[in-house]
C-alpha cells in the first residue's frame, strides 16, 4: 500500500481509480483493444484481500494500468500524459523502495586483512607497527627455504586447507 496510496491521491490518478466503463465513456471498442483491463482501485482490493502471491504480480498490474492507458489513448492526450506522469512516479518510488540501504563501515576488527605487500612487517627492534617494505620474491624464497630446513618447523602442526570463499586470518 505504501506505493499505491500516494499514487491514488495524485490529481492525475482520477482516470485510473476505477474500472473503465465503455458504455458511460462511449468507447464500445475498449475491450477489443484492451484484453487485460486493470485499474488502481482493483489493485487496491487485490492487495487488501492478499490476492498477490508476490510483489512481482502487484508491480506487473500497476505497470499494466499505464500501458493499457497509453495503448488505448492517443499520444499527448490528458489520459496519456497522466499515465506517463504516474508511471514515472511509480518507478521512482519503486526504485527507492528496493534500493539497498547504505552499509555502515566495518569495525576495524572485522575488516579483511590488507594484501601482504601492505601489511606491517615486524622489525628487529621490536617495533611491530612500523610498516616495512615487502621482501622481494628472491628474499622471500630463500627465507622460506631456510625456514623449511629448520628443525623447529617440523614440530608445527600442519595448516588446514582454506575453504573457497572463506576469509582466513
Amino acid at each position: 500500500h505504501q506505493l499505491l496510496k500516494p499514487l491514488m491521491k495524485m490529481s492525475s490518478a482520477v482516470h485510473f481509480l476505477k474500472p473503465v466503463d465503455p458504455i458511460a465513456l462511449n468507447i464500445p471498442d475498449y475491450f477489443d483493444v484492451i484484453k487485460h483491463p486493470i485499474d488502481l482501485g482493483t489493485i487496491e482490493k487485490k492487495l487488501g484481500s492478499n490476492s498477490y502471491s508476490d510483489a512481482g504480480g502487484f508491480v506487473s498490474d500497476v505497470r499494466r494500468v499505464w500501458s493499457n492507458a497509453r495503448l488505448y489513448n492517443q499520444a499527448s492526450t490528458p489520459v496519456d500524459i497522466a499515465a506517463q506522469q504516474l508511471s514515472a512516479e511509480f518507478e521512482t518510488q519503486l526504485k527507492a523502495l528496493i534500493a539497498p540501504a547504505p552499509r555502515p563501515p566495518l569495525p576495524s576488527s572485522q575488516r579483511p586483512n590488507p594484501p601482504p605487500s601492505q601489511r606491517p612487517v615486524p622489525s628487529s627492534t621490536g617495533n611491530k607497527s612500523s610498516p616495512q617494505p615487502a621482501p622481494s620474491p628472491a628474499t622471500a624464497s630463500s627465507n622460506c627455504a631456510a625456514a623449511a630446513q629448520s628443525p623447529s618447523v617440523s614440530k608445527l602442526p600442519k595448516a588446514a586447507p582454506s575453504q573457497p570463499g572463506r576469509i582466513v586470518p
Side-chain angles (χ1 to χ4, degrees):
H1 280 281
Q2 71 185 34
L3 287 173
L4 191 62
K5 283 290 187 187
L7 288 175
M8 293 178 78
K9 290 180 180 179
M10 295 176 70
S11 61
S12 55
V14 69
H15 308 288
F16 312 106
L17 296 177
K18 57 186 180 179
V20 171
D21 183 346
I23 296 168
L25 296 172
N26 196 25
I27 49 173
D29 67 336
Y30 183 77
F31 292 118
D32 294 333
V33 177
I34 303 301
K35 300 300 182 192
H36 302 284
I38 190 76
D39 61 276
L40 299 178
T42 300
I43 293 170
E44 182 179 41
K45 287 177 187 169
K46 288 175 76 172
L47 280 171
S49 64
N50 295 317
S51 295
Y52 292 110
S53 59
D54 58 36
F58 163 75
V59 170
S60 179
D61 272 358
V62 173
R63 288 176 174 160
R64 191 162 14 114
V65 172
W66 321 134
S67 63
N68 284 351
R70 300 204 62 216
L71 176 63
Y72 191 81
N73 295 278
Q74 293 181 4
S76 302
T77 60
V79 174
D80 176 67
I81 293 168
Q84 289 180 56
Q85 292 170 343
L86 290 165
S87 174
E89 179 63 23
F90 175 72
E91 296 300 328
T92 299
Q93 295 303 319
L94 179 63
K95 186 179 282 188
L97 182 67
I98 61 176
R103 300 173 97 187
L106 289 174
S108 60
S109 64
Q110 293 179 354
R111 290 188 188 136
N113 288 333
S117 63
Q118 296 176 1
R119 290 184 191 154
V121 177
S123 70
S124 59
T125 61
N127 183 357
K128 295 181 181 184
S129 63
S130 64
Q132 301 291 326
S136 70
T139 305
S141 176
S142 65
N143 287 347
C144 287
Q149 293 173 1
S150 167
S152 62
V153 171
S154 62
K155 295 178 186 175
L156 294 175
K158 291 187 177 182
S162 66
Q163 296 173 349
R166 183 173 172 211
I167 297 175
V168 179

